[in-house]
Amino acid sequence: MKKILVLLFLLAGTCFAQQIKTIAIEPLEIGEGERYFYPQFNHSGNQILLTSENYIGLKVLNLSTKELISISKETGAGYAATFSEDDQTIYFIENYFENRRRLNALKAFDLNHQKTREIEPATRSLLKPMVFDGSLLYKKSNEIKKVDRTGLKSSGKSGVYVAIENRKLVVYNNGVPQTINPLNVESYIWPSIAPDGKRILAYGLGEGAFICDTDGSNVISLGQIEAPVWLGNDFVVGMVTNDDGHVILESKIVAFNIKQKQQFTLTPDSIISLNPSVNTGTNKIAFHTPDGIVMIINYQLDIK
Amino acid sequence: MKAFFTVFLLAFFFQLYPVFGQNLTGVKIYINPGHGGYDSDDRNVVIPPFAAGDPNGFWESVSNLDKGLHLRDLLQAAGAEVIMSRVLNRTVDDRPLSAIAEEANVNNSDFMISIHSNAHTGAVNYPLMLFHGWDNNPILPASLDLANLFWENLISNQIAHWTYTSRSVRGDKSFAPESWNGYGVLRPLTVPGLISEGSFHDYIPETYRLMNIDYKKLEAWHFYKAFVQYFDGTPDTKGKIAGYVKDSFSKVTAYYVAPGSKDQWLPVNGATVTLNPGNKVYNVDNLNNGAFVFHDLNPGTYQLTFEVTKYQQKVVENIEVLPNKVTYFLCALDQDRSDPLKVLSHSPAPAAGELVSAATTISFNFNFEVDRASFESAFSILPVTSGTFDYSDQDRTASFVPSNPLEKSTLYTVTLDKSARHIGNLSMDEDYSFTFTTRNRNRLELVDASPLNQSTNIFPSSQVKLHFDWKLKNLNLSTLISFIDAQGNPVPRSTIEVNTLPGDVGTYAFRYSALTPGAKYFLNLNRNIEDESGLTLGEDITIEFNVISVPVPDASIVYSFEDAVTDWTVDEAKSLNIITGASTRILRYSTIKLFGTYSYRLLYAFNPGEAYVVVNYANSGIKVSTNDYLGLYIGGDLSHNKLYALFEGASGLFEIPFTTIDFAGWQLRGIRLTGLPDDGLYTFKGFKMKSGETPFSVSGVVLFDNLLWSMESITSLPDNNNIDNRNIIIAPNPVVNDINLYTNLKINDTPYQIIAIDGRVVQTGIAKLDNGRSQIPVSSLLKGVYFLIINNGSEKHQTIFRVN
C-alpha cells in the first residue's frame, strides 16, 4: 500500500507542472519625481531597499507605512545591500577611493535604533556578503568571516558562502574553498545560494544563467537570463534583455521552472523591466524601469 | 647580516622596478572592447578592396579588440591587474550591457573603460569621451577626471586629422537621446567608468588608419598614458616615433577627405621606413593610411629613411625621442619623376570610321603632372582653332577646350610637340599626334516649329512644338525656352514633353491654354540650348505669333467625336507597316478637346519606310457629294504626315487628300471634294494617314474634333489652308538639292525669296520660268523649314517646304 502511495506521488510529480503567472503589475508609489533602482525585498516582504541608478546611496521603504529611511549616501551603498534573516539589520558596503583605488567598507544598519555600525573598515579585499542560515558571511583578505544574529563576528567556518574571486566562482563550504567551473567559462557573475542551501545559481559570461550543486555538479542551464535570483527552490527569476551595444532596447522579467525547464514571461513588452527581486511570502516580485520607476508584480503559482 | 641582506633586497627590487613597470601594481582595470562578432550589433564600414561583410575589412569590433588587447598588455607590464570582457571576436563574446557592468562591479575594479569608435556623417573625425552623468555633473566625479586625461592624450595624435579640436568630454545623459537615460554599460557601474569613442570610423581616411595595428596600438598607448597619469604611476621612460608617408603632390580623389587638411594628400602604400641607430625597419601597409610607428625607443636622436618605388628617397636627421612622448614626423615624399613625360591616353579616340561631335574637348592623360606652360606651348591643332586650356586630376590630365564648335565634316590633326614636359622637367621622347573627323553638324538646328514665326491663326488653347536635329540636353529647358506675352509676362505651360521621338532627333513641346484672342505672344529660344552632343543653338531665335478666337464657321457638324469609339477602328489589314497593338489605336479622349466633352485621339507608330494607317468608321451616316466642303478640327503633331479622307460610293473607294499635318496643336483644316465623281452620294468611311517619311513622322498623336460639312465654301478657313488656292506647287517636298517649282500663273521670270522660320531671308534669286516651271537650288540651306515667296510686284504667292 505504501509503495502504491509512493508510486502515485511520484506519478503526480511527473504529471503535474507548476506554472507562474502575473496577476497584476503596479507601480510602487514612493515620492513624486523620485527615481529608484535595484529594489530588494526583505524576508517578510514588508520592506524594500532602494538605491540610485549607480547604486549610490541606500534607503529602505516600509511598504505598509510608506516610511522611507535614508541609510547611506555613499557610493556603492545600494550594490550589495541585504537584510539579515530577522529583517532587523541591513548589511551594506560603501565604496571609497584612496589614490584612485577602490576600497570597500562593510556596515550594518539597525532598523530598530536606526544606527549604523562598521563591521569592517574600508579595505581593498572585501567581497560581497551573503546571508545564510541566520548569519552574514563575507570574505576579507583570505578569510571567510561571519557575523551571527547577535552581531558577533567570528570566523566563517560554517555555512555556505559563494563569491566571485577574480572572475572565478568559488564556493566555501564551512570555510573550505572550492573553485568550480560548471560551464567551462572564463568568468562568472551574480552568484547566490538556494533557500535550502543545496544549490548555487549564477551566470557564466558567454553562456548564461545556470544552477548546480554546491560542488559544481548537476548543472542545469537556464539560458540568457540576467541578474537571476531564486524564487523558492524550484524557480529562478531574472531578466532577458536585448541591446544594440549602447542601450537596452527591450527587457522582460521571466521565471524559469527548473524541473519543467519551462520559461514564463511575467512582464509585457511595453515595459523595459530590469533587475528583479523576489519575496515568496507575499508572492511579489519587484523590478525597476530605466526611468527609475519601481514596479511590483503580484504573481500566482499554479499546479497544472 | 640579516639587515644588510634585507637592504640589499630592497635596493635590488627598486633597481628592477623601472625595468618592469610604471608602478600600477594593485590597480585593477576592467576593459570592455565594444561590440563583437561581425553581426548586426557590430559596425562594418566598406572600404576597397573589401566588400561589405568581409571579415578582413573594417569592423569596429576588431578595432576595439586590438586596442583593448594592447592596453591590457601595457597595463599588465606596469603591474596592473586587468579584466577584459572579451578577448575574442565572436557573437557570444558580445556580452549584455548589464553583464559587462556587473563583471566590473563584482570584481572590485578601480576603473572601467569601454572602447569604441564613432560614426556620424562620414565627414567628421574627433575623439569623444563619455562619462555617466550630465556635462557639469558627473555621477562619479572620478570618471570625468580620467575622461579629460583620455581626451587630452588622444587629441595629441598628429597622424589623424581632427575636424574638431575643442574638448569633447560629455556626460552621457546630456549627450545621448533623452529617452536613453544614458548608456547601458555606464548606468549600473559602481566604479568610475567611461566610453571612449576614439575617432570616427566612418570618416574614410580614419577607417583606413584603423586598419593599421600600430595606429591602434598608439591609441591604446594613449589610454595607458592616461591611466598612468590618473593613478600617479611612473611615466614611461621610453618614447615613440610615429607618422605617415604621403605623396607631396598627388591628392586623394577616391573618397571624401576634409578639404585642405593633411588627409587630402595621397598616402603612399608599401613604403619602407628605416630607423637608425638600430636599423629598425617598418613596412607601411597597403591600406591607404601611410602610417608608421616605432614603439619603445630609448630617448635620443634618430635618423629616418623613407624609401618606396617610384618615389625619391628621403633621409631625415635629428629626430628627437623623449621619454613618455610621441615624436611625430609627417613625411611628404616626392615622386621619382625620372622618366620622361608620356601620354597614356587621349580623347577623342574614335573607332575607325567613327565621327566625333564638333563640341568635343581634346584631352591628354599623362603619367606625371604636366608643366602647364610647356603643354600650352607644345599643343597645336589644325585647322587652327581658338580655345582655352583646362587641367584636372592634379594636372595629370590636360585639355584644350575650343571656344566655338569645331567645323563640321572636317579632319582635325592634334599634335603635342615633344617639348611638353612634366613638373620634374623631363620632356617627351617624341611628338604625339592624332586625328579625328567631326560629324556633319556643328550646331543644334531648329528644323521645324509650330507655331511658325508670324503665324496669325493660333488658337487660344493649343500646343507649341519644336523639332531639332539632335536630341536635346534636358537641362534648364524651361528657362532657355521662354514663353511670354507682349508685356513680357511668362505664360504658364503644361504637359511638357522632351525628346519623345526615337532616333537622334530632339523635340520640345508643351501645352498652353486661355491665351487672349487678338494678343501677340513670343517664344524665345536662347542660343545656349544644348543638345546631347554638346552643340548649342548658337543664336537666339524668337517666334512671334498672334492668337485668334477658335473659328466656328457656318457649317453643319456632321460628327462631333463625342460618341464612344465603338464604330471607329484601326484597320490593320488595310494599313501598311504600322506597329500594332497599343502603339496604334484610336480612342475617345476627355483630357484634350476643343468642343464638348471628348475628342478622338489617334495614336500611331510606323516602321521605317512607306507606311500608312487606315482608320475605319463603320456605320457612317455621313453622305457627301462632289464639290461639297468638309472641315475638320485637327490637333496636329507637326509630323508632316498626310491625312486623307476616305469615301465610298457607286464608283468605288476614294482617298481624298485632306491636309498635311505640318502644325502642332489645334487647327481647322478643310477641303472641297472635287476629287469625287459626280455620280451620287458618297459615304464618309474614315481616314487614312500616310507617313511623311521624316524622322518626325514615325510616331505621334493626332486629335480630331467636330467634322463640318457644307455645300458652300467654309469661309472661316484661313487662306493658306484652302487647298483650292494653290497657284504654286513645289516638288519634291521635303527637298535636298533643288526645288522644282510649278505654277499656273501667267508670269515670267519672277524674283523669289526663301525665308527661314525665324524670319531671316536666307536666299534670294530669280525663278526662271519655262512653261510655268522653274528650278531653284536649295542645297546650301541648312536642314529646316522655309517659306518660298515669289513676288513679281503684281503676283505674290508663298508656299512652305522643308530641307532634309
Side-chain angles (χ1 to χ4, degrees), chain B residues 552-558 629-631 707-716:
Chain B
V552 181
D554 184 17
S556 301
I557 300 171
V558 292
Y629 292 85
L630 280 185
L707 179 65
L708 308 176
W709 170 87
S710 174
M711 292 176 65
E712 307 294 329
S713 175
I714 299 178
T715 56
S716 58

Side-chain angles (χ1 to χ4, degrees), chain A residues 188-213:
Chain A
Y188 292 89
I189 53 177
W190 291 314
S192 61
I193 304 167
D196 62 8
K198 292 180 179 174
R199 287 186 293 186
I200 288 164
L201 166 66
Y203 182 101
L205 275 292
E207 290 294 329
F210 69 97
I211 60 168
C212 64
D213 291 348

Side-chain angles (χ1 to χ4, degrees), chain A residues 38 53-55 79 100-102 104 124 126 166-167 187 190 205-206 226 243-246 290-291, chain B residues 26 41 81 84 92 95 98 102-103 107-108 110 132 145 173 181 184 186-191 230-231:
Chain A
Y38 312 104
E53 192 174 33
N54 281 89
Y55 298 102
Y79 176 66
R100 310 285 197 183
R101 276 93 166 150
R102 172 178 160 170
N104 296 333
R124 288 280 281 169
L126 185 69
N166 296 318
R167 309 170 81 198
S187 180
W190 291 314
L205 275 292
E226 300 159 45
D243 67 65
D244 65 355
H246 291 290
D291 296 330
Chain B
D41 194 38
E81 191 177 338
M84 292 196 66
V92 70
R95 313 280 193 227
S98 62
E102 175 61 18
E103 195 180 20
N107 285 286
N108 283 329
D110 294 309
H132 191 45
D145 295 340
K173 286 178 178 289
N181 278 302
L186 298 178
R187 296 182 58 185
L189 285 176
T190 61
V191 302
Y230 178 76
F231 287 107

Side-chain angles (χ1 to χ4, degrees), chain B residues 502 575-579 583-584 602 604-614 639 641-642 688-693 697-700:
Chain B
S575 302
L576 175 69
N577 226 2
I578 62 171
I579 298 173
S583 299
T584 305
L602 172 64
Y604 65 91
F606 295 132
N607 286 311
E610 185 188 1
Y612 50 82
V613 57
V614 174
S639 58
N641 292 330
K642 299 181 193 308
K688 178 176 182 177
M689 187 168 74
K690 286 188 181 177
S691 170
E693 296 188 49
S697 306
V698 294
S699 64

Side-chain angles (χ1 to χ4, degrees), chain B residues 277-300:
Chain B
N279 199 33
K280 294 190 182 190
V281 176
Y282 189 96
N283 295 309
V284 174
D285 65 30
N286 291 313
L287 288 172
N288 305 322
N289 51 66
F292 69 91
V293 182
F294 291 98
H295 299 280
D296 297 327
L297 299 175
N298 290 318

Side-chain angles (χ1 to χ4, degrees), chain B residues 20-303:
Chain B
F20 287 116
Q22 279 73 44
N23 202 14
L24 294 182
T25 304
V27 170
K28 191 180 266 191
I29 305 293
Y30 185 90
I31 300 174
N32 161 235
H35 306 286
Y38 307 100
D39 52 24
S40 60
D41 194 38
D42 206 336
R43 310 289 187 267
N44 172 225
V45 178
V46 180
I47 46 169
F50 306 104
D54 186 341
N56 294 313
F58 176 83
W59 292 83
E60 189 190 341
S61 60
V62 173
S63 176
N64 296 340
L65 182 59
D66 286 342
K67 297 173 193 174
L69 290 173
H70 190 62
L71 175 62
R72 175 198 65 183
D73 294 344
L74 293 170
L75 288 169
Q76 288 178 336
E81 191 177 338
V82 178
I83 298 172
M84 292 196 66
S85 65
R86 67 181 178 100
V87 294
L88 296 175
N89 198 29
R90 306 164 300 176
T91 296
V92 70
D93 298 306
D94 189 15
R95 313 280 193 227
L97 298 173
S98 62
I100 295 171
E102 175 61 18
E103 195 180 20
N105 290 340
V106 77
N107 285 286
N108 283 329
S109 307
D110 294 309
F111 204 95
M112 180 276 204
I113 173 175
S114 185
I115 299 175
H116 288 261
S117 52
N118 214 340
H120 185 43
T121 60
V124 297
N125 187 37
Y126 55 89
L128 167 68
M129 299 299 130
L130 295 164
F131 58 89
H132 191 45
W134 294 265
D135 285 348
N136 297 319
N137 187 15
I139 296 205
L140 294 171
S143 304
L144 174 56
D145 295 340
L146 191 49
N148 276 317
L149 290 171
F150 263 63
W151 185 87
E152 287 159 10
N153 278 282
L154 261 61
I155 201 73
S156 71
N157 174 4
Q158 295 180 25
I159 299 176
H161 169 71
W162 303 119
T163 60
Y164 183 70
T165 54
S166 295
R167 186 175 293 265
S168 296
V169 177
R170 301 291 308 276
D172 66 340
K173 286 178 178 289
S174 302
F175 179 82
E178 195 174 331
S179 60
W180 286 18
N181 278 302
Y183 283 78
V185 79
L186 298 178
R187 296 182 58 185
L189 285 176
T190 61
V191 302
L194 70 95
I195 295 173
S196 169
E197 302 274 6
S199 60
F200 279 69
H201 56 242
D202 64 339
Y203 174 64
I204 302 301
E206 186 69 11
T207 322
Y208 278 117
R209 285 191 281 267
L210 288 171
M211 296 293 289
N212 182 296
I213 185 63
D214 290 291
Y215 184 78
K216 287 178 279 192
K217 285 184 176 179
L218 188 64
E219 181 170 334
W221 184 81
H222 281 122
F223 296 155
Y224 166 74
K225 195 176 167 193
F227 275 123
V228 170
Q229 292 170 272
Y230 178 76
F231 287 107
D232 292 325
T234 306
D236 199 340
T237 56
K238 303 207 174 182
K240 298 180 191 295
I241 296 175
Y244 59 59
V245 185
K246 294 194 179 183
D247 191 299
S248 64
F249 187 90
S250 299
K251 294 184 181 178
V252 173
T253 56
Y255 45 84
Y256 175 81
V257 297
S261 73
K262 54 191 166 189
D263 282 341
Q264 69 179 309
W265 305 109
L266 193 68
V268 176
N269 289 331
T272 301
V273 187
T274 306
L275 180 75
N276 278 300
N279 199 33
K280 294 190 182 190
V281 176
Y282 189 96
N283 295 309
V284 174
D285 65 30
N286 291 313
L287 288 172
N288 305 322
N289 51 66
F292 69 91
V293 182
F294 291 98
H295 299 280
D296 297 327
L297 299 175
N298 290 318
T301 304
Y302 291 82
Q303 174 204 70

Side-chain angles (χ1 to χ4, degrees), chain B residues 632-668:
Chain B
L632 179 65
Y633 294 92
I634 304 172
D637 59 0
L638 198 59
S639 58
H640 290 269
N641 292 330
K642 299 181 193 308
L643 187 67
Y644 297 78
L646 304 176
F647 301 92
E648 186 177 36
S651 301
L653 291 168
F654 288 84
E655 299 177 359
I656 306 297
F658 202 100
T659 191
T660 298
I661 305 178
D662 56 358
F663 57 93
W666 291 108
Q667 289 275 292
L668 174 61

